[in-house]
Amino acid sequence: MFASLALTALVATTSVSATRLYVSSYDGNITTFNFTKTSNATYNLARIDKNIGCAPNPSWLQIDEMKGNLFCLDENFASTTNASIASFKINKDATGPSLKKVTNTTVPASPVHSALYMTSNGTQLLAVAHYIHALTTYTINPQTATFTLSQKFNFTDAPGPKPQQAVPRPHQVIIDPMKKYFVVPDLGADLIRVFYIDPMTLKIAERPSIPVPKGSGPRHAVFHITPRSSLKAKRGETHLYVLTEISAQILSLNVTYLPNNGGLAMTPIGKAVWAYGSGMGLDSKTAMGNAPAEISLAYLRHGAAQLIVSNRNATFFKDVKNPDPTNSTAIVSDSLATFSLPSGTKMAMGNSTEAIIPQALTPAGGLFPRSFQISPNGDMVA
């Protein structure tokens, strides 16, 4: 079978399986790979195609596997005013180009991340974070992969105190577990922005933002619902783990829903944790330069969950086996850090000084790991 996920995907459901991986690169290409695993537990990664249709600087891929659509954000470094979004139809056949371009539309500058909201009746809304102080939304025709600008928000909040915070800098869009809000970490304004999504009109409305420590620079975040504390509980607590690029920390927040679609309230859980994990052996000089990029959640087979964070510019590993089997020269590498998560509600009640516990540092396989994705069964990272 073929499976597809934006940027990277790793799925092995049969004794011989194939997974499509779509990888964007600042060289202008979207490259398609086949990842295969055979019954004797060997793996193969083979490039099958590349597409230049989102050039010059594709920064993020958004996929709708059900409808066979892929949307690509072109950051376009050369312009401070305009960039573009391209859409493609996915060819799941074993022959022919893997992607067929549908359209390319000019959008505001510096799109860096997106989220796709889908309703039960099939309508879709794409929300895009722009690193130069904006958020845009687009209604999607899922049959044709065409899209139309719906709304644009320009942010003028006072920026943070650090040089990287000259203006508001939305860096990600995620959807809350109840699928009611877009949540947008703003690296420049030290805010978690919240937007209510009207499922009938597909219009969004801003709700009160949640401030985080000044100068921390929230970049990306991930939601997690804890296990139920008792059989009487309808659901576990909702936690948001926020990765800060400038202060290089993970903030743990307990999330509650305000009545009448009024937004989200967030309260800290314990202390912030270093993104590389305290006690992991990084010297202070190496750790000082850390600029973590991505945070994601892996659900393991036994039901537990762990966080994985990519660290950049904190090169801890100096002698790593070369991932190229034809090259015996060792490489230096930045890291992926893993953290265990609390299993119940005691963290939110203030009974612990840390909400998450560092577990390990692993070589990322190179320098400056900007993005990664985790396979659905939680056993592989690409």
Side-chain angles (χ1 to χ4, degrees):
M1 62 173 292
F2 281 100
S4 307
L5 287 176
L7 287 182
T8 55
L10 295 167
V11 179
T13 57
T14 60
S15 60
V16 179
S17 60
T19 299
R20 287 266 179 97
L21 283 76
Y22 300 97
V23 181
S24 64
S25 171
Y26 283 150
D27 69 357
N29 287 297
I30 303 171
T31 305
T32 305
F33 295 88
N34 261 0
F35 178 79
T36 56
K37 178 183 178 181
T38 64
S39 57
N40 63 357
T42 61
Y43 297 90
N44 182 59
L45 185 66
R47 188 180 74 180
I48 61 173
D49 193 18
K50 63 180 181 179
N51 193 302
I52 200 72
C54 191
N57 307 118
S59 62
W60 184 256
L61 304 179
Q62 183 75 53
I63 203 165
D64 173 9
E65 185 176 6
M66 184 176 294
K67 297 297 184 181
N69 299 330
L70 184 145
F71 301 92
C72 175
L73 312 185
D74 167 30
E75 202 167 345
N76 190 16
F77 295 151
S79 175
T80 59
T81 56
N82 294 316
S84 66
I85 299 177
S87 65
F88 301 82
K89 278 291 184 181
I90 297 171
N91 175 18
K92 296 185 178 182
D93 296 332
T95 60
S98 61
L99 297 173
K100 180 181 179 181
K101 187 174 179 179
V102 175
T103 188
N104 188 301
T105 299
T106 299
V107 300
S110 300
V112 292
H113 198 280
S114 64
L116 185 63
Y117 174 81
M118 295 181 280
T119 67
S120 58
N121 63 9
T123 56
Q124 297 184 353
L125 186 70
L126 185 73
V128 178
H130 298 259
Y131 192 62
I132 302 182
H133 57 75
L135 178 77
T136 56
T137 64
Y138 303 83
T139 53
I140 304 293
N141 183 327
Q143 305 305 321
T144 62
T146 54
F147 53 95
T148 304
L149 176 66
S150 177
Q151 291 174 276
K152 179 183 178 183
F153 298 81
N154 287 312
F155 304 119
T156 59
D157 310 73
K162 301 296 184 178
Q164 304 97 308
Q165 298 178 302
V167 296
R169 298 196 183 281
H171 210 292
Q172 184 195 35
V173 187
I174 55 177
I175 301 172
D176 75 291
M178 299 293 288
K179 295 181 171 36
K180 297 176 67 174
Y181 297 99
F182 286 129
V183 175
V184 182
D186 190 322
L187 190 152
D190 291 321
L191 295 172
I192 306 298
R193 300 185 185 276
V194 179
F195 295 83
Y196 170 68
I197 310 166
D198 187 320
M200 302 303 295
T201 66
L202 293 185
K203 297 295 184 181
I204 68 174
E206 196 165 6
R207 296 296 187 254
S209 297
I210 290 87
V212 297
K214 290 294 184 184
S216 60
R219 177 185 172 96
H220 282 192
V222 63
F223 280 101
H224 172 57
I225 298 179
T226 69
R228 292 186 300 167
S229 59
S230 70
L231 294 177
K232 294 181 180 180
K234 291 183 178 180
R235 54 180 289 158
E237 293 183 343
T238 300
H239 291 176
L240 182 69
Y241 298 102
V242 181
L243 183 65
T244 63
E245 178 178 323
I246 299 175
S247 64
Q249 294 178 313
I250 303 170
L251 311 177
S252 301
L253 303 173
N254 190 53
V255 180
T256 55
Y257 288 78
L258 299 179
N260 302 316
N261 300 322
L264 301 172
M266 300 186 189
T267 55
I269 308 171
K271 300 186 299 184
V273 176
W274 295 114
Y276 51 80
S278 57
M280 290 296 182
L282 261 72
D283 61 89
S284 58
K285 183 178 179 180
T286 300
M288 188 178 298
N290 191 26
E294 187 65 277
I295 184 169
S296 192
L297 198 62
Y299 290 98
L300 308 179
R301 287 190 177 93
H302 55 276
Q306 66 179 13
L307 287 175
I308 302 179
V309 169
S310 66
N311 292 298
R312 304 176 298 174
N313 200 41
T315 310
F316 179 68
F317 297 97
K318 307 294 185 182
D319 188 19
V320 176
K321 182 180 178 180
N322 200 305
D324 182 353
T326 65
N327 190 338
S328 61
T329 304
I331 64 170
V332 296
S333 177
D334 281 328
S335 65
L336 298 178
T338 56
F339 301 82
S340 63
L341 296 180
S343 58
T345 61
K346 65 179 182 179
M347 298 298 177
M349 301 304 293
N351 295 332
S352 176
T353 57
E354 288 191 340
I356 57 176
I357 307 299
Q359 295 294 310
L361 274 181
T362 304
L367 299 177
F368 281 75
R370 175 182 171 92
S371 297
F372 64 86
Q373 285 203 4
I374 301 170
S375 62
N377 62 3
D379 66 349
M380 289 190 176
V381 178

